[in-house]
């Protein structure tokens, strides 16, 4: 079990009054004093990424020490306050455990949509990048009939003003590429439905963060959404490859 750097969890640091390791549910309760958005899934994810290594009982249950809870709090704090990726956080904590005097890495520069979360409540929300119909047709090199067909199946969705999100260009190019293999828009409805379900799962996780009163927590929601989306895409790709391997 690795040691945890000092100055960790604050009130969440005491695993139990008698110092005995506690369950993941108890850890969740303690961490939520400072991090109301944390979930058991998040704790398990951090464990899978090597950020914490709880002991296991003979029956397989996780048991967390005070050092584990402090380390988890330190990880969550660096994510929330400094927007640091997990790899950088892990390297920083590991260096501290080796006794190295290393400064905290400089905060990552939030992207434009991340900065939105810390704007003044009365400030005007920036408009996401949009393109017009003619621009979309030119960027994807398709004709009007093809675009109308994709829209009829919900693969490309215009806004009320007739504009499109910039992601529509990527979607259109991929739909066109798949079409060269004989896959028509009607075949891709299942892919669209799966994407919407995955987006719904991400929204379930980040919705409490977006409603939080702390602007930094709301900003962290966007970073969390992107991280979850990336993991979801990687899982989807792995599952498709695994399914193909079984059938071929």
């Amino acid at each position: 079990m690795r040691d945890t750097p000092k100055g960790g969890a604050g009130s969440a640091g005491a695993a139990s009054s008698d110092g005995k390791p506690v369950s993941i549910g108890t850890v969740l309760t303690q961490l939520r004093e400072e991090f109301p958005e944390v979930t058991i899934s998040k704790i398990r994810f951090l464990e899978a990424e090597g950020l914490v290594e709880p002991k296991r009982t003979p029956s397989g249950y996780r048991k967390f020490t005070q050092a584990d809870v402090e380390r988890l709090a330190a990880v969550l704090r660096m994510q929330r306050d400094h927007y640091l990726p997990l790899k950088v956080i892990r390297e920083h904590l590991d260096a501290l455990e080796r006794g190295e005097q290393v400064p905290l890495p400089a905060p990552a520069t939030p992207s434009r949509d991340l900065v939105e979360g810390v704007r003044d409540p009365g400030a005007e929300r920036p408009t996401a990048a949009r393109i017009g119909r003619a621009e979309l047709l030119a960027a994807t090199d398709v004709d009007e009939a093809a675009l109308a067909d994709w829209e009829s199946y919900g693969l490309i969705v215009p806004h009320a003003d007739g504009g499109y999100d910039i992601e529509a260009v990527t979607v259109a190019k991929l739909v066109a590429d798949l079409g060269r293999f004989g896959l028509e828009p009607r075949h891709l409805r299942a892919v669209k439905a799966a994407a919407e379900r995955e987006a719904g799962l991400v929204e379930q996780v980040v919705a409490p963060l977006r409603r939080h009163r702390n602007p930094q927590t709301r900003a962290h929601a966007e970073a969390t959404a992107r991280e979850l989306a990336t993991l979801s895409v990687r899982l989807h790709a792995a599952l498709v490859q695994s399914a193909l391997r079984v059938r071929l």
Side-chain angles (χ1 to χ4, degrees):
M1 174 66 66
R2 53 168 59 126
D3 295 328
T4 301
K6 302 298 182 182
S11 62
S16 66
S17 58
D18 56 7
K20 293 181 179 179
V22 296
S23 68
I24 193 171
T26 301
V27 173
L28 179 66
T29 299
Q30 294 172 351
L31 289 175
R32 277 185 169 170
E33 294 178 19
E34 182 179 353
F35 310 99
E37 73 280 2
V38 73
T39 63
I40 285 181
S41 296
K42 176 70 172 182
I43 296 173
R44 289 173 176 165
F45 172 71
L46 293 177
E47 178 189 355
E49 292 294 309
L51 273 302
V52 66
E53 299 173 0
K55 294 180 180 178
R56 295 273 186 161
T57 66
S59 55
Y61 291 103
R62 297 173 176 83
K63 288 295 181 181
F64 295 80
T65 64
Q66 176 177 343
D68 292 329
V69 181
E70 290 179 349
R71 185 178 174 93
L72 284 169
V75 171
L76 294 171
R77 197 172 293 118
M78 282 189 276
Q79 278 194 308
R80 181 194 65 194
D81 298 342
H82 299 275
Y83 309 105
L84 296 175
L86 293 180
K87 180 181 178 182
V88 173
I89 294 174
R90 181 171 54 247
E91 291 173 350
H92 176 71
L93 294 179
D94 289 347
L96 291 178
E97 292 170 2
R98 293 192 298 268
E100 301 176 13
Q101 298 299 319
V102 292
L104 186 67
T109 302
S111 60
R112 180 177 178 180
D113 58 344
L114 196 63
V115 174
E116 288 179 14
V118 295
R119 288 177 179 270
D120 294 335
E124 183 179 356
R125 185 180 180 88
T127 303
R130 297 273 186 87
I131 61 173
R133 192 174 187 85
E135 293 174 294
L136 179 59
L137 291 170
T140 55
D141 195 25
V142 298
D143 57 28
E144 181 71 40
L147 180 55
D149 193 26
W150 298 346
E151 289 178 333
S152 70
Y153 284 96
L155 300 175
I156 302 291
V157 181
H159 288 274
D161 60 4
Y164 300 84
D165 289 333
I166 195 65
E167 290 83 0
V169 175
T170 301
V171 172
K173 288 181 177 179
L174 290 171
V175 171
D177 288 342
L178 288 169
R180 297 188 182 99
F181 290 89
L183 292 175
E184 300 177 7
R186 60 188 176 87
H187 298 136
L188 302 178
R189 286 183 297 182
V191 179
K192 170 71 172 179
E196 291 177 344
R197 288 194 296 270
E198 291 173 15
L201 289 175
V202 172
E203 181 59 28
Q204 287 180 26
V205 174
V206 301
L209 303 181
R210 287 174 171 159
R211 294 194 297 266
H212 203 273
R213 294 167 61 183
N214 187 331
Q216 287 186 326
T217 300
R218 295 199 300 272
H220 179 55
E222 306 308 318
T224 300
R226 285 193 292 273
E227 184 176 0
L228 289 173
T230 299
L231 292 171
S232 178
V233 170
R234 289 171 57 189
L235 175 60
H236 181 85
L239 289 173
V240 170
Q241 291 173 353
S242 178
L244 288 173
R245 191 172 296 112
V246 171
R247 299 180 185 186
L248 295 179

